[in-house]
């Protein structure tokens, strides 16, 4: 999704919603593998340089691994039957989402700041509110994806419509 921002256009991907939902529903390894494959396919099909595709995979893998380790440490491994988490796990889910956001945002922001020859901390601080808002919406919708997937995985693709609508 492309969003006009100041005099530039920012590209936001809805994959954050679905990859974090996959982390919640199926665990860290499944989420990391699915994210890596989807990211590589997406980046290479858009003819991004191989180094950018590799960075994108690595960045999100580190963020997912950190979030998954925290989640599994606090809430335990996902349950086998039914919804993987209960209401008592909400603090762990929120902390995990926060770790995912911070790690993902810090890695991407540092790379962008270096590419633009800007101070990293200043770049991260100036971009923080926008990134927190957009990522917060995407991560909050992850819980809805988990509930819908538990009911019927066939309905999950329909959730892209409200995610896109949020940005419009």
């Amino acid at each position: 999704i492309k969003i006009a921002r100041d005099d530039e256009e920012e590209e936001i991907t809805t994959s954050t919603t679905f990859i974090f939902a996959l982390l919640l529903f199926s665990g860290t390894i499944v989420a990391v593998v699915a994210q890596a494959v989807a990211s590589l396919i997406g980046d290479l099909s858009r003819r991004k340089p191989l180094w950018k595709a590799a960075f994108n995979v690595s960045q999100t893998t580190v963020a997912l691994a950190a979030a998954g380790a925290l989640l599994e440490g606090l809430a335990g491994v996902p349950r086998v039957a039914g919804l993987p988490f209960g209401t008592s796990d909400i603090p762990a889910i929120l902390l995990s989402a926060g770790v995912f956001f911070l790690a993902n945002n810090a890695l991407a922001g540092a790379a962008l700041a270096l590419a633009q020859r800007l101070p990293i901390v200043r770049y991260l601080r100036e971009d923080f509110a926008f990134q927190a808002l957009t990522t917060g919406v995407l991560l909050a919708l992850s819980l809805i994806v988990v509930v819908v997937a538990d009911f019927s995985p066939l309905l999950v693709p329909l959730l892209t419509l409200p995610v896109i609508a949020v940005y419009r």
Side-chain angles (χ1 to χ4, degrees):
I1 300 167
K2 295 187 184 206
I3 299 175
R5 191 166 167 226
D6 299 325
D7 57 346
E8 297 178 8
E9 193 170 66
E10 178 105 15
E11 186 177 295
I12 306 293
T13 175
T14 59
S15 64
T16 302
T17 298
F18 299 99
I19 205 62
F20 194 73
L22 196 54
L23 173 73
L24 295 175
F25 200 75
S26 299
T28 306
I29 293 171
V30 171
V32 165
V33 170
Q35 173 275 139
V37 170
S39 181
L40 278 174
I41 290 170
D43 284 350
L44 296 177
S45 69
R46 287 182 286 170
R47 294 181 168 46
K48 287 191 177 181
L50 191 55
W51 69 268
K52 278 188 180 180
F55 176 82
N56 289 340
V57 168
S58 301
Q59 163 203 336
T60 313
T61 295
V62 168
L64 278 172
L70 178 67
L71 184 63
E72 291 170 10
L74 293 176
V77 295
R79 292 168 183 81
V80 176
L83 289 176
F85 297 98
T87 55
S88 64
D89 296 317
I90 289 175
I93 292 169
L94 293 174
L95 283 172
S96 179
V99 164
F100 177 80
F101 162 71
L102 291 173
N104 202 38
N105 189 58
L107 291 169
L112 290 168
L114 289 171
Q116 297 174 30
R117 293 188 161 91
L118 297 171
I120 295 172
V121 173
R122 188 179 88 206
Y123 183 90
L124 290 172
R125 190 176 52 241
E126 289 173 358
D127 201 41
F128 185 82
F130 176 79
Q131 295 300 332
L133 178 65
T134 56
T135 305
V137 169
L138 293 170
L139 291 172
L141 289 169
S142 295
L143 295 172
I144 296 168
V145 172
V146 170
V147 171
V148 170
D150 186 59
F151 177 74
S152 172
L154 299 174
L155 295 175
V156 171
L158 294 175
L159 291 172
T160 57
L161 300 173
V163 172
I164 292 169
V166 166
Y167 290 102
R168 295 289 177 217

